[in-house]
Amino acid sequence: MTRSILAKENILLNTAVGTKEEAIRLTGRILVEKGYVDASYIEKMLEREALTSTYMGNFVAIPHGTEDSKLLVKESGISFVQVPQGVDFGSGNIVKLLIGIAGKDNEHLDILSNIAIVCSEEENIEKLVAAKTADEILAIFEEVN
């Protein structure tokens, strides 16, 4: 089954979450519900976060599973959660964009490089945080490819 790695239905806009754990669980739940990963992948995302923060700077976090969670990935996919009010990821790091990643084989490296290109531009971050539709989010990511 081949489908878009980032599809419109993988995007949640104007979301409010209370904690980092809640944010990561939500990001993972999208990947589970859309069939990219097994449900146990969410615990691996939390385990990964406990090892080292997935906060990348610039209001962005990229939650993903641990190295040993690759077997739980059915196919590569991305979930996108916009949290305009932000959620504290610890040490004063506020996250407004969560990009959950599940990469089959080594596809996560390509996915990460595309995300890095988009998120390296502060202007893109501002557009992603302000976006009102999933189409706006997709358009920003499609500019890179």
Side-chain angles (χ1 to χ4, degrees):
M1 176 166 78
T2 333
R3 59 181 156 161
S4 179
I5 288 176
L6 177 59
K8 208 187 271 198
E9 56 272 11
N10 299 11
I11 298 172
L12 276 183
L13 298 175
N14 204 19
T15 308
V17 290
T19 66
K20 170 171 74 168
E21 180 179 340
E22 190 182 332
I24 293 169
R25 284 189 184 282
L26 179 59
T27 307
R29 197 163 50 243
I30 295 167
L31 294 171
V32 172
E33 288 171 1
K34 304 305 177 204
Y36 294 102
V37 297
D38 288 331
S40 49
Y41 188 78
I42 295 172
E43 293 308 315
K44 293 295 186 180
M45 292 172 85
L46 292 166
E47 197 178 296
R48 169 73 177 81
E49 189 66 33
L51 293 171
T52 180
S53 179
T54 57
Y55 174 75
M56 299 294 155
N58 224 2
F59 300 113
V60 177
I62 305 179
H64 55 284
T66 55
E67 195 61 37
D68 67 346
S69 66
K70 289 190 186 344
L71 298 173
L72 304 172
V73 178
K74 298 174 188 174
E75 65 180 304
S76 295
I78 295 176
S79 59
F80 184 96
V81 179
Q82 178 200 65
V83 185
Q85 308 321 192
V87 61
D88 188 350
F89 255 58
S91 305
N93 296 322
I94 301 301
V95 170
K96 295 184 178 186
L97 302 172
L98 291 112
I99 303 169
I101 295 181
K104 190 84 179 134
D105 304 319
N106 282 323
E107 288 179 2
H108 68 286
L109 298 174
D110 290 337
I111 295 168
L112 275 171
S113 72
N114 284 343
I115 291 169
I117 292 166
V118 170
C119 294
S120 66
E121 303 278 333
E122 208 167 302
E123 179 187 337
N124 285 341
I125 299 297
E126 289 168 12
K127 285 183 195 171
L128 290 168
V129 171
K132 300 291 182 226
T133 68
D135 287 325
E136 288 176 62
I137 303 286
L138 291 172
I140 293 164
F141 280 98
E142 284 165 6
E143 285 173 18
V144 172
N145 293 328

